[in-house]
Amino acid sequence: GESVGLHLPTLSVQEGDNSIINCAYSNSASDYFIWYKQESGKGPQFIIDIRSNMDKRQGQRVTVLLNKTVKHLSLQIAATQPGDSAVYFCAEGGAGNNRKLIWGLGTSLAVNP
Amino acid sequence: EAQVTQNPRYLITVTGKKLTVTCSQNMNHEYMSWYRQDPGLGLRQIYYSMNVEVTDKGDVPEGYKVSRKEKRNFPLILESPSPNQTSLYFCASSWADPTSKQYFGPGTRLTVT
């Protein structure tokens, strides 16, 4: 696969453990937050999103938590599997007429069997 | 199958030789966008289009052109490529705007020598 990022923050977990990936966002006016997953050699893929009027949202094995007080977003992955190994991007958006997204630089998740 | 396609997937070219990377989506999406991805810099938006015949600059538009003559197609044109445009390029589409779930293409690896 193709390398999509060098010197990324890396989280290494054991298969079956829970993973928590953190993200700090910058704009207090952002009202929408989203996580994408990028596997090696592929384009990013939507995982889960959350609006600013919520502080928690759950999907299948994933949970996103939003703390607006400290402008912090986290993605929790339950029972991490080898297929979860990827780079994870957070993005904030919604401010302004074009609802532009501001992307984070990504976190690499490595799942050890 | 709902998808975004890009062609070519890999391209090696020389400085100054005009090239076009095609992007097509089959989901009748209004919004389309081009990103480049470089190690350590994450995803940076080049151009986007909110609808047919409507295009706007993203964060790094210099050296690129786009057009949106049809809803499904959003080609990226490099009139005179330079080595600093060597990168991994992604096309994406969504039904309304960047805060809608974006579907990404598989990427185009461009090398300019």
Side-chain angles (χ1 to χ4, degrees):
Chain A
E2 297 171 353
S3 173
V4 298
L6 298 178
H7 312 299
L8 284 176
T10 299
L11 176 65
S12 185
V13 300
Q14 290 298 123
E15 181 178 356
D17 287 352
N18 296 334
S19 304
I20 301 176
I21 301 172
N22 295 304
C23 179
Y25 65 92
S26 58
N27 189 349
S28 56
S30 294
D31 64 1
Y32 175 81
F33 306 88
I34 190 167
W35 285 95
Y36 281 85
K37 170 187 180 183
Q38 186 175 25
E39 297 175 69
S40 183
K42 296 183 179 180
Q45 181 181 17
F46 171 90
I47 304 174
I48 192 168
D49 60 0
I50 188 169
R51 301 280 171 183
S52 60
N53 60 354
M54 303 171 69
D55 53 22
K56 179 179 180 179
R57 191 174 186 202
Q58 288 183 289
Q60 186 178 11
R61 277 201 311 118
V62 295
T63 300
V64 56
L65 298 177
L66 175 63
N67 185 331
K68 295 182 285 294
T69 302
V70 295
K71 293 194 286 187
H72 184 265
L73 189 67
S74 68
L75 177 71
Q76 300 179 359
I77 304 173
T80 312
Q81 302 168 358
D84 296 324
S85 293
V87 175
Y88 289 80
F89 292 97
C90 65
E92 60 176 298
N97 292 333
N98 64 3
R99 301 186 64 72
K100 179 183 173 67
L101 276 186
I102 300 171
W103 291 81
L105 297 182
T107 296
S108 179
L109 175 66
V111 181
N112 304 311
Chain B
E1 179 189 357
Q3 61 181 353
V4 177
T5 56
Q6 295 179 227
N7 282 293
R9 292 290 314 279
Y10 301 91
L11 179 60
I12 300 174
T13 190
V14 296
T15 299
K17 185 176 180 182
K18 181 179 178 180
L19 66 92
T20 299
V21 184
T22 64
C23 172
S24 183
Q25 50 93 5
N26 63 358
M27 296 167 278
N28 202 35
H29 284 167
E30 302 284 339
Y31 179 86
M32 297 187 75
S33 179
W34 276 103
Y35 298 89
R36 61 177 289 173
Q37 187 172 38
D38 302 288
L41 297 178
L43 283 163
R44 293 183 293 168
Q45 190 177 50
I46 303 171
Y47 269 95
Y48 66 94
S49 170
M50 299 293 284
N51 210 330
V52 175
E53 301 291 1
V54 179
T55 62
D56 257 309
K57 295 178 180 179
D59 298 316
V60 288
E62 293 77 22
Y64 304 94
K65 286 175 59 177
V66 293
S67 68
R68 188 90 182 274
K69 297 177 182 176
E70 306 163 284
K71 198 173 198 178
R72 63 182 293 124
N73 296 322
F74 190 45
L76 179 69
I77 303 157
L78 284 72
E79 294 271 4
S80 183
S82 62
N84 65 11
Q85 293 178 299
T86 292
S87 187
L88 179 59
Y89 291 86
F90 289 101
C91 180
S93 73
S94 72
W95 74 271
D97 61 43
T99 63
S100 307
K101 174 181 174 181
Q102 291 190 60
Y103 292 79
F104 283 79
T108 296
R109 169 64 74 184
L110 172 65
T111 301
V112 184
T113 61

